[in-house]
Amino acid sequence: VWQQERVLNFDYFPNPFTDQLDIKFNHVLDSDADLEVLDVFGRLLDSGSLVKGTDHITLKGEKYPDGALVIKITQNDGEVASFKAVKMK
């Protein structure tokens, strides 16, 4: 029995980043989603909502401390994607 799973695909750049981190989805979001930015200890630094049809977002570097960050995107249909990025001065 094969199990099929949808995967939220995206590219992000630059990494490490200073001023901004651009996230470009390989297809538009097919449902609303939540965005969370966490530090390496799992503390929530920022959160927001993404609407269905979004194809890219930009995170402003001035909002985040220097160091490793975890960006987590959770679609309303339950699909979750996360990645690590590094914010530098």
Side-chain angles (χ1 to χ4, degrees):
V1 175
W2 288 91
Q3 182 176 356
Q4 186 174 15
E5 191 172 323
R6 294 178 344 130
V7 178
L8 181 61
N9 291 313
F10 50 84
D11 296 313
Y12 52 97
F13 52 91
N15 191 21
F17 71 101
T18 303
D19 298 326
Q20 67 183 38
L21 177 68
D22 294 307
I23 304 168
K24 171 100 173 86
F25 300 107
N26 293 340
H27 58 80
V28 297
L29 294 178
D30 54 9
S31 70
D32 292 341
D34 294 317
L35 171 77
E36 295 178 328
V37 179
L38 309 148
D39 67 14
V40 293
F41 302 107
R43 292 182 293 226
L44 183 65
L45 300 174
D46 193 15
S47 65
S49 297
L50 305 174
V51 296
K52 179 179 177 178
T54 298
D55 67 349
H56 73 279
I57 56 174
T58 300
L59 301 179
K60 300 294 183 187
E62 64 206 24
K63 294 176 68 174
Y64 308 109
D66 293 343
L69 303 171
V70 176
I71 292 83
K72 181 178 171 185
I73 300 168
T74 306
Q75 287 189 269
N76 287 348
D77 61 7
E79 188 172 347
V80 178
S82 64
F83 65 93
K84 294 177 185 167
V86 176
K87 162 67 170 50
M88 298 180 66
K89 288 185 180 181

